[in-house]
Amino acid sequence: MSDTIDLRLYFNFRSPYCYLASERMFELFDQYQVNLHWRPLGGWHGRSDPDRAKVKMPIARQDVARWAHRFGMPLTPPPKSTDPTRAGAGSLLAEKEGLLKPYVVAVMRAEWADGLDIGDAAVLSSVAESVGLDREAFARAVDDPELLTQLDRNWQEAQEKGALGVPTFVIGDQIFWGQDRLDFVGEHLQDLGAARQ
């Protein structure tokens, strides 16, 4: 009999590495008895600070393009000014409504496959509506002070758990950082006896 395993996921919608993981991680979670603790972040949380990002960006773009090609994922980076904070807050509503997976996948595709600015309220609301979220409720959620504060609390928790960046998957005392660690996440869940029967 499989055990349900708690898995914390720290995720920032502005990260191309989160985009690379977005569909594959849910496919992986579906194979195991996972109690997902969704921990979205906003702003620069979990990402390189702006000065470091300027240095990293050319190399990261090459790296992300290679991975995207390997996975057969389209890649059209969004505007550099894109702010992921509202998308993070909106994901908390999507989770509450049982629409987290389609929301995450659709937002990440809009941003990283179509190159759209998900910081734009109209763009983000349109994506949210396309997965079944109520437009008015969503508009309230993305600017809800409590949800925005939750994003900050998530980053505080992430640092306390030892997370260095995104995406980070935490299972007990084991930390898996990066989209390229999903195989290790799966192996660990298998070792823990969490495979679905």
Side-chain angles (χ1 to χ4, degrees):
M1 183 170 180
S2 296
D3 295 323
T4 299
I5 303 298
D6 288 331
L7 184 153
R8 282 179 169 73
L9 169 55
Y10 301 98
F11 190 98
N12 190 310
F13 283 88
R14 190 64 180 89
S15 166
Y17 294 101
C18 285
Y19 166 57
L20 292 171
S22 58
E23 295 184 40
R24 295 167 39 245
M25 67 187 189
F26 285 112
E27 291 169 3
L28 178 69
F29 299 160
D30 287 345
Q31 298 173 39
Y32 296 93
Q33 297 281 6
V34 170
N35 181 26
L36 177 63
H37 296 265
W38 173 247
R39 298 293 192 263
L41 309 174
W44 287 94
H45 292 163
R47 302 161 52 211
S48 297
D49 65 60
D51 289 337
R52 177 94 172 122
K54 288 176 188 174
V55 176
K56 281 179 58 178
M57 188 172 291
I59 297 170
R61 287 279 168 93
Q62 291 178 7
D63 185 55
V64 171
R66 291 183 197 110
W67 282 108
H69 178 74
R70 174 170 289 180
F71 298 141
M73 299 173 73
L75 181 65
T76 305
K80 292 179 183 177
S81 59
T82 299
D83 185 335
T85 306
R86 284 179 160 170
S91 75
L92 293 170
L93 174 66
E95 179 185 32
K96 180 181 174 185
E97 297 295 324
L99 294 169
L100 182 62
K101 178 180 177 179
Y103 174 84
V104 170
V105 170
V107 171
M108 295 307 270
R109 282 180 183 165
E111 181 182 19
W112 289 101
D114 300 333
L116 301 178
D117 182 352
I118 60 160
D120 181 293
V123 169
L124 189 58
S125 291
S126 178
V127 175
E129 194 172 33
S130 76
V131 300
L133 288 167
D134 178 78
R135 197 175 188 99
E136 290 181 12
F138 185 78
R140 289 191 300 273
V142 297
D143 289 320
D144 183 323
E146 177 56 32
L147 297 184
L148 295 171
T149 298
Q150 182 61 52
L151 301 181
D152 293 333
R153 286 197 297 262
N154 289 346
W155 177 230
Q156 181 63 40
E157 179 188 283
Q159 293 175 95
E160 291 168 0
K161 293 284 184 186
L164 301 173
V166 289
T168 292
F169 307 85
V170 179
I171 304 170
D173 64 354
Q174 295 297 301
I175 299 173
F176 305 87
W177 174 29
Q179 64 86 21
D180 52 342
R181 303 305 193 271
L182 277 173
D183 287 347
F184 290 127
V185 173
E187 289 171 10
H188 188 59
L189 290 169
Q190 184 72 36
D191 292 343
L192 292 173
R196 292 187 185 276
Q197 299 301 317

